Amino acid sequence: MAKTGDTRLAQLLDALDEAFDRMSWHGANLRGALRAVKPVQASWRSAPGRHNIWELAVHAAYWKYAVRRKLTGEARGTFALEGSNWFARPVAGDADPAGSWRGDVRLLIDEHRRLRQAVMTLDPGRLDQRVPRSKYSAAFLIRGVTAHDLYHAGQIQLLKRLQASGKG
């Protein structure tokens, strides 16, 4: 394995972690954006038909799973929840959703850990090669899921502010 490949893999892992739960210069990462969010806050919608924080968190977990599956060749249909991409979650006012909210945040954390483990085991020399059954390289997928975390962290921060302002 080339030294430059190992360095590049380490940089991808650092970016993945900074976007999810490690200190970063840009503000809240995904896990930070979810910190201290209560179920009622997570289930609030800014408008009918809009996604809430809870759905964004599970959506992010799903895409961590999807990227891991592409990187490892794991079979489809192994995600913890039935379905794909977007998952309907409890709405504000549902009875006692706290356990489900904590469970879904745990799902996100676990999927990040599994993805990180899959990235750690990649051959650095193959980062730019197309992943089987995908039109993208491993490096492209890893950068994409990193950007995905940050994109949704920003949405979550905006939803929290919008909810706190009483608008929406």
Side-chain angles (χ1 to χ4, degrees), residues 18-20 24 26-34 51-53 56-57 60 146-162:
E18 289 167 13
F20 184 68
S24 51
H26 54 73
N29 53 39
L30 185 56
R31 184 131 184 236
L34 295 171
H51 293 296
N52 59 31
I53 291 171
L56 293 171
T146 298
H148 190 252
D149 276 2
L150 293 174
Y151 173 76
H152 289 305
Q155 283 185 312
I156 290 166
Q157 292 296 85
L158 288 171
L159 284 170
K160 290 185 328 190
R161 289 191 181 124
L162 187 59

Side-chain angles (χ1 to χ4, degrees), residues 75-88:
R76 293 185 77 145
T78 56
F79 188 59
L81 304 173
E82 191 173 321
S84 64
N85 202 13
W86 292 106
F87 301 83

